[in-house]
Amino acid sequence: MKAKLNLIVLLLLLCSCTNNTFSGYVYDYDSEQPIINVQIDSNGNKTETDSTGYFILKVRPNKMCKIVLRKEGYSSKKVERKPDSLGLFSKTNLKDVKIYLFEKNSDFSE
């Protein structure tokens, strides 16, 4: 019985470790309006924002999460998240993050 319980716990841990996703919304800094079709890349996993500026992207557990956002007319932006000591990301660290992009002609662009 104890072996079955250990196996179930192990399977639950493995499932929770492999389902990490980074999600959020991308907005224009000046207008605070969502930006559609922003290209988002993290270690070869790619996606784009939808009409509300929302995106969701699968990320690897146990690895630094490096995400690059690109949109023509805007300065590209890099976002990094580090896993905790167990190699996992907290839900607040990866869920529904608000990211602001600056237009290339903005005073704040790089």
Side-chain angles (χ1 to χ4, degrees):
M1 180 69 175
K2 188 172 181 176
K4 271 188 177 179
L5 182 60
N6 287 341
L7 181 61
I8 291 172
V9 170
L10 179 64
L11 288 174
L12 288 173
L13 284 173
L14 288 174
C15 290
S16 68
C17 292
T18 58
N19 290 328
N20 284 322
T21 57
F22 182 85
S23 64
Y25 293 88
V26 180
Y27 295 99
D28 179 287
Y29 179 80
D30 294 319
S31 70
E32 295 191 23
Q33 295 296 312
I35 306 173
I36 63 171
N37 299 326
V38 175
Q39 298 173 351
I40 302 167
D41 183 4
S42 176
N43 300 327
N45 292 331
K46 297 180 182 184
T47 191
E48 287 189 355
T49 56
D50 64 13
S51 62
T52 64
Y54 181 77
F55 69 91
I56 188 166
L57 185 67
K58 205 169 217 16
V59 294
R60 296 180 199 166
N62 301 319
K63 301 258 184 200
M64 168 85 86
C65 180
K66 294 180 184 181
I67 296 171
V68 179
L69 297 95
R70 290 186 184 93
K71 171 80 175 171
E72 190 170 327
Y74 288 87
S75 295
S76 61
K77 185 166 194 165
K78 295 178 184 174
V79 177
E80 294 183 356
R81 294 289 189 267
K82 293 180 181 179
D84 63 16
S85 61
L86 296 175
L88 304 174
F89 294 97
S90 69
K91 290 186 184 201
T92 56
N93 196 13
L94 293 178
K95 187 171 184 209
D96 295 338
V97 175
K98 287 185 178 181
I99 301 171
Y100 291 90
L101 295 182
F102 298 105
E103 290 187 28
K104 283 195 176 179
N105 61 0
S106 170
D107 293 338
F108 298 105
S109 64
E110 297 175 317

